[in-house]
Amino acid sequence: MNRVMSRAKVLLVLVLVLSLGVMFFLGDYLINSGKWVHSAGSPHIYNAENIGCGQIADRNGNLLLDLTDGRTYANIPSLRSATLHWLGDRQGNISAPALSHYAKEIAGFDPLGGLYAYGGVGGQVQLTLSAELQMAALEAMGDYKGTLAIINYETGEILCAVSTPTYDPDNVPDIAGDTTDAYEGVFVNRFTQSTYTPGSIFKIVTMIAALECIEDIETQEFVCTGEVEYGIDKVTCERVHGTQDIREAFKNSCNCAFAKVSEQIGGKRLQKYAQQLGILDSVEFDGITTAAGSMDSADQADVLVAWSAIGQHKDLINPAGFLTLVGAIANDGVAQQMYLVDNIKTGSTTTYQADQGEFERLMSTETALKMQELMRNNVENYYGDEKFAGFSVCAKSGTAEVGGDQKPNAMFTGFVVDEGYPLAFIVTIENGGYGRLTCIPVLEKVLQACREIM
């Protein structure tokens, strides 16, 4: 009898231990199963490090990528090439971090039923991109290397962002064997991952600092003789502009005038403004962290501060970060958080919806309005209204010296002020030469597409 009781007690202990183990497992499963399933590298969700389930469409419902059975891209070659840096490739050489960031929402998961796919296709992802604008931008860029991007500055939606060079994922070229440098940097999304010497578009930052720090900046006069001497060093200007006020100096992009302005601002304060305006920080959206900008004007010699104030020296900007600043100027000083993924639905359930309420004030409304006026003057009295597809545009060009015998990088950024077209843009063309001469014709083609489809 004692032996039976002893065995019963042992059996009871074993049953209790087993029950506790099962309860612990079930609890851990309910809490963490979603994390296990959606962890990086899960064969149920990922393919070559990119998302491997669901369907991806543009803002108008045009199918860009079907992951139901492998990776089936759009049936238009130029659209496949234009969206490659957002959707990724089959080999995982080009990543799609925004899609991977929402793997859980795209795949869907029920702890009782496991992974599910409504109708056998998984989640339906709608991006903010326009297929038509992507193709128009790719065609406009031609053989240039760089990026062209347009956002809605009132909402933060990325309407268009093309990175070149690119390629058709259904017709992959021999990149490793190419000896022409045609595919140099092809695996990089130049909009989010690159940094560039900004050249004179940086004068936007210097101008903001001057408006807020120099009380009489709008009544001062600046004499440009073609150079400003700093001991044995000097800052040079492309041509002699003579006597001008700050409005004319900004329109003329006069290096000499802005060198003199930099002396009044000072290197430390100039760098503080660049930081305050956000162009030295990374931009984060949809799981993407962009490259950060940089500059070094604090505690530098006057000549180096002057070169930094005109967008040279050690200045570097990321296109996405700088476009955020330009969008804030257009939006009366408020920067909207940019985003790429608008919504995700799995069956009839919306598993993700973008929040358009995230914003940050980068400058006062007064400063923003003054910058709008100055940038509008650039177009009306220098670039020419007739060059922007009938839009009323505010803009600034830049020609960024990159050293050696290379042609300068061509830069152009600004925004549209016409009602119903809240568009902010940036164009960066590597070794493109003069910013206005190279970038404006490229931009005009995409603005014309905006007019036709929006």
Side-chain angles (χ1 to χ4, degrees):
M1 188 66 174
N2 290 336
R3 181 178 297 178
V4 172
M5 289 296 295
S6 296
R7 290 177 177 176
K9 291 178 180 179
V10 171
L11 183 60
L12 180 60
V13 170
L14 290 175
V15 169
L16 289 172
V17 170
L18 179 61
S19 298
L20 289 172
V22 170
M23 291 175 64
F24 176 80
F25 172 78
L26 288 174
D28 195 33
Y29 173 80
L30 291 172
I31 295 171
N32 296 312
S33 56
K35 297 179 182 179
W36 302 337
V37 171
H38 301 114
S39 62
S42 170
H44 304 290
I45 296 179
Y46 297 95
N47 183 344
E49 299 184 6
N50 279 324
I51 190 74
C53 61
Q55 291 183 328
I56 320 299
D58 82 335
R59 63 186 299 104
N60 297 313
N62 297 305
L63 187 63
L64 303 177
L65 178 62
D66 188 344
L67 297 161
T68 304
D69 184 17
R71 295 177 72 84
T72 303
Y73 292 88
N75 58 9
I76 304 174
S78 62
L79 181 55
R80 295 195 293 264
S81 298
T83 54
L84 178 65
H85 289 93
W86 296 113
L87 304 180
D89 64 352
R90 291 187 175 87
Q91 294 74 35
N93 293 320
I94 295 178
S95 63
L99 300 182
S100 297
H101 180 69
Y102 295 110
K104 179 179 179 180
E105 291 79 3
I106 296 172
F109 180 72
D110 180 350
L112 297 179
L115 283 171
Y116 65 89
Y118 183 82
V121 296
Q124 314 294 301
V125 183
Q126 185 172 52
L127 303 182
T128 61
L129 296 176
S130 162
E132 290 89 346
L133 288 185
Q134 287 290 118
M135 290 187 288
L138 180 63
E139 181 180 1
M141 287 291 286
D143 294 329
Y144 288 132
K145 294 179 181 178
T147 185
L148 188 158
I150 298 176
I151 64 170
N152 182 322
Y153 57 74
E154 292 180 348
T155 65
E157 297 166 280
I158 301 173
L159 305 177
C160 163
V162 163
S163 177
T164 57
T166 184
Y167 59 85
D168 181 350
D170 280 351
N171 187 20
V172 182
D174 181 13
I175 297 172
D178 178 68
T179 59
T180 66
D181 292 330
Y183 296 101
E184 182 183 6
V186 70
F187 299 130
V188 174
N189 185 332
R190 282 166 158 81
F191 179 61
T192 59
Q193 296 173 282
S194 292
T195 57
Y196 294 98
T197 301
S200 289
I201 65 170
F202 192 86
K203 287 171 183 165
I204 292 172
V205 176
T206 306
M207 190 74 243
I208 292 172
L211 289 172
E212 296 192 348
C213 296
I214 305 172
E215 187 174 347
D216 62 343
I217 188 62
E218 294 186 73
T219 60
Q220 288 188 31
E221 288 189 341
F222 302 91
V223 179
C224 172
T225 62
E227 63 182 37
V228 178
E229 293 185 353
Y230 293 90
I232 60 172
D233 295 315
K234 61 183 177 181
V235 168
T236 58
C237 209
E238 183 183 14
R239 63 186 180 87
V240 175
H241 293 108
T243 301
Q244 57 201 325
D245 61 16
I246 193 64
R247 177 187 179 92
E248 294 171 311
F250 190 60
K251 180 199 71 176
N252 295 331
S253 202
C254 178
N255 290 348
C256 292
F258 273 81
K260 288 298 183 181
V261 169
S262 75
E263 295 173 14
Q264 298 178 64
I265 297 173
K268 287 185 178 180
R269 192 155 52 176
L270 182 61
Q271 184 151 340
K272 179 182 177 181
Y273 263 88
Q275 188 75 57
Q276 174 184 312
L277 296 172
I279 64 168
L280 304 186
D281 297 326
S282 298
V283 175
E284 296 184 3
F285 62 95
D286 296 322
I288 297 170
T289 301
T290 73
S294 63
M295 68 180 296
D296 184 13
S297 64
D299 301 318
Q300 296 292 326
D302 288 347
V303 65
L304 297 181
V305 175
W307 280 117
S308 192
I310 61 180
Q312 294 290 161
H313 185 40
K314 296 183 180 180
D315 295 0
L316 291 173
I317 59 102
N318 166 257
F322 206 85
L323 185 54
T324 300
L325 166 60
V326 173
I329 295 171
N331 201 35
D332 296 344
V334 175
Q336 293 288 348
Q337 174 68 54
M338 69 174 58
Y339 65 99
L340 175 71
V341 178
D342 183 78
N343 67 81
I344 302 171
K345 294 181 180 178
T346 305
S348 60
T349 302
T350 299
T351 55
Y352 173 78
Q353 180 64 60
D355 179 8
Q356 297 183 11
E358 297 184 22
F359 61 88
E360 179 183 4
R361 177 165 288 282
L362 298 185
M363 70 198 77
S364 69
T365 300
E366 180 183 3
T367 298
L369 292 176
K370 177 56 67 173
M371 289 301 302
Q372 291 174 23
E373 178 189 333
L374 291 167
M375 294 174 72
R376 181 75 185 113
N377 179 63
N378 291 348
V379 175
E380 289 181 311
N381 295 301
Y382 187 48
Y383 308 132
D385 267 328
E386 71 280 0
K387 298 176 181 177
F388 297 95
F391 285 116
S392 299
V393 168
C394 306
K396 182 72 187 78
S397 63
T399 303
E401 302 294 337
V402 292
D405 57 356
Q406 299 182 79
K407 291 178 64 177
N409 287 343
M411 316 286 284
F412 198 78
T413 189
F415 48 90
V416 175
V417 293
D418 298 282
E419 187 175 354
Y421 295 94
L423 310 173
F425 53 79
I426 190 167
V427 185
T428 296
I429 296 178
E430 297 171 15
N431 308 125
Y434 286 103
R436 63 183 176 86
L437 296 179
T438 303
C439 296
I440 291 178
V442 172
L443 175 66
E444 183 181 18
K445 295 175 182 178
V446 186
L447 289 180
Q448 184 60 50
C450 289
R451 180 172 289 284
E452 293 172 357
I453 68 174
M454 292 183 68

